[in-house]
């Protein structure tokens, strides 16, 4: 009897693992009624590119207003009724120089801000957590290369989890069991990438069959996963939460059903998750554990 109950306890602990790091985490990146614009930025990269978007938007709006104003002036002052005899000149050097120089200045100005932001995304810093990401038709595989373990991540409701990509009462039950709600169908996965908050995570990406693309919009990262190549991305999430993304390169029939779930947790929760994951996925224990065992 005691053996049975301890076995049950072990089973319960194991099955609770995927949902473990979830209690109380805010969900970011699911559609919200009436909301427009970007998801709340959770990394410096996302802050930067959202700021750049706002700044360029101001320039675009100013240019549109200026052009509309010019059109209105021409329509009012130089129409056939008001201005029966049109002018016959064909050149105006000062204006031509101005409409060449001013756009160059505007483009250089935009470039001066956008290039550093682009370089910041593409220059990969020293990572504190390394994850290799592989895109498959149609799910994601994750390897925690520092600890030699990996797992696959399927959408809850995908064929691999017993569904057929449609919402059913069984799928809803699975979602609830994993700590999600019905609203998160098509976004929630059976296993998540778990990373510690405020740590530099470096990901290497590749595709196993066709090109996929890994993204978390709130992190401001999106990178193609190309078969035969390794590409990299990095992020440092500033806020704990559950973040959603979608495969962003059309990769076949079930492209819409290979979402991405990242849980950003405290260092303590991450360490706890890591220990359980190493156990469950037969990874290499961390050096600190070896030292403690001696
Ligand atoms: Cu895809």
């Amino acid at each position: 009897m005691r053996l049975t109950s301890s076995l049950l306890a072990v089973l319960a602990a194991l099955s609770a693992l995927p949902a473990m790091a979830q209690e109380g985490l805010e969900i970011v990146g699911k559609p919200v009624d009436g909301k427009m614009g970007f998801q709340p930025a959770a990394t410096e990269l996302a802050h930067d590119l959202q700021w750049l978007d706002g700044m360029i938007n101001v320039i675009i709006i100013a240019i549109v207003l200026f052009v509309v104003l010019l059109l209105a002036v021409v329509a009012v002052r130089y129409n056939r009724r008001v201005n029966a005899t049109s002018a016959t000149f064909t050149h105006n050097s000062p204006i031509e120089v101005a409409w060449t120089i001013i756009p160059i200045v505007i483009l250089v100005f935009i470039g001066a801000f956008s290039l550093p932001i682009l370089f910041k995304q593409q220059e990969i810093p020293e990572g504190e957590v390394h994850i290799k990401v592989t895109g498959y038709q149609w799910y994601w595989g994750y390897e925690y290369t520092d600890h030699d373990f990996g797992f696959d991540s399927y959408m809850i409701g995908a064929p691999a989890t017993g569904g057929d990509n449609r919402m059913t009462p069984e799928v809803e039950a699975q979602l609830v069991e994993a700590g999600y709600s019905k609203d998160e169908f098509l976004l929630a996965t059976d296993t998540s990438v778990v990373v510690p908050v405020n740590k530099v995570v470096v990901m290497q990406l590749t595709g196993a069959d066709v090109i996929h693309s890994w993204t978390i919009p709130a992190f401001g990262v999106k990178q193609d996963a190309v078969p035969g190549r390794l590409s990299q991305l990095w992020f440092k999430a500033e806020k704990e939460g559950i973040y959603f993304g979608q495969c962003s390169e059309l990769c076949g029939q079930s492209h819409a059903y290979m979402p991405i779930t990242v849980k950003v947790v405290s260092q303590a929760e991450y360490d706890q998750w890591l220990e359980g994951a190493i156990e469950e996925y037969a990874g290499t224990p961390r050096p600190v554990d070896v030292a403690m065992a001696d």
Side-chain angles (χ1 to χ4, degrees):
M1 189 65 201
R2 264 181 59 199
L3 183 69
T4 326
S5 57
S6 20
L7 267 178
L8 279 176
V10 169
L11 275 178
L14 277 179
S15 62
L17 184 66
M20 195 181 68
Q22 188 149 332
E23 276 86 55
L25 286 177
E26 188 197 344
I27 289 187
V28 182
K30 73 167 180 179
V32 179
D33 272 348
K35 274 270 170 81
M36 284 176 68
F38 291 111
Q39 296 176 12
T43 63
E44 193 187 335
L45 298 179
H47 285 294
D48 283 0
L49 69 85
Q50 291 184 13
W51 174 85
L52 182 71
D53 179 84
M55 191 270 278
I56 294 178
N57 228 346
V58 170
I59 296 176
I60 292 171
I61 290 168
I63 292 173
V64 168
L65 290 179
F66 178 64
V67 171
V68 168
L69 182 74
L70 287 182
L71 282 173
V73 168
V74 169
V76 170
R77 280 179 54 180
Y78 300 104
N79 64 58
R80 192 154 52 168
R81 235 177 321 123
V82 182
N83 188 44
T85 328
S86 53
T88 53
F89 68 88
T90 55
H91 296 287
N92 184 320
S93 296
I95 288 181
E96 283 164 32
V97 169
W99 77 44
T100 307
I101 301 282
I102 292 172
I104 290 174
V105 170
I106 293 173
L107 289 178
V108 168
F109 179 81
I110 292 174
F113 288 96
S114 77
L115 286 179
I117 291 174
L118 184 66
F119 287 138
K120 198 193 275 181
Q121 296 170 5
Q122 294 296 321
E123 280 167 1
I124 310 293
E126 196 66 47
E128 291 164 280
V129 175
H130 300 88
I131 302 172
K132 186 181 173 198
V133 183
T134 308
Y136 299 91
Q137 284 175 315
W138 292 275
Y139 58 98
W140 293 97
Y142 298 101
E143 288 163 61
Y144 282 66
T145 50
D146 302 318
H147 305 287
D148 299 323
F149 73 85
F151 52 85
D152 293 331
S153 180
Y154 293 92
M155 184 185 84
I156 295 177
T161 67
D164 66 349
N165 296 336
R166 272 180 299 191
M167 181 47 118
T168 60
E170 294 81 58
V171 170
E172 191 177 346
Q174 279 182 54
L175 283 166
V176 170
E177 201 194 334
Y180 297 104
S181 71
K182 202 177 165 183
D183 286 356
E184 280 114 45
F185 175 59
L186 300 177
L187 291 168
T189 54
D190 60 348
T191 55
S192 309
V193 182
V194 179
V195 295
V197 70
N198 287 322
K199 287 283 154 69
V200 176
V201 178
V202 172
M203 288 184 155
Q204 290 194 312
L205 299 102
T206 190
D209 33 44
V210 299
I211 303 176
H212 303 269
S213 180
W214 196 93
T215 182
I216 292 290
F219 293 173
V221 295
K222 176 178 284 177
Q223 185 68 53
D224 275 6
V226 183
R229 289 191 194 175
L230 275 181
S231 46
Q232 284 188 303
L233 65 81
W234 76 278
F235 60 85
K236 185 166 137 185
E238 295 162 350
K239 201 166 159 278
E240 292 177 32
I242 297 175
Y243 297 83
F244 288 129
Q246 299 265 4
C247 178
S248 299
E249 182 65 65
L250 190 55
C251 61
Q253 189 193 8
S254 297
H255 166 62
Y257 307 111
M258 50 181 295
I260 296 154
T261 314
V262 176
K263 286 181 191 169
V264 179
V265 298
S266 67
Q267 184 66 47
E269 279 174 299
Y270 176 71
D271 289 340
Q272 200 192 345
W273 173 83
L274 198 58
E275 233 140 87
I278 288 170
E279 186 94 354
E280 178 168 356
Y281 304 117
T284 307
R286 290 177 300 157
V288 60
D289 295 332
V290 175
M292 275 161 64
D294 281 345

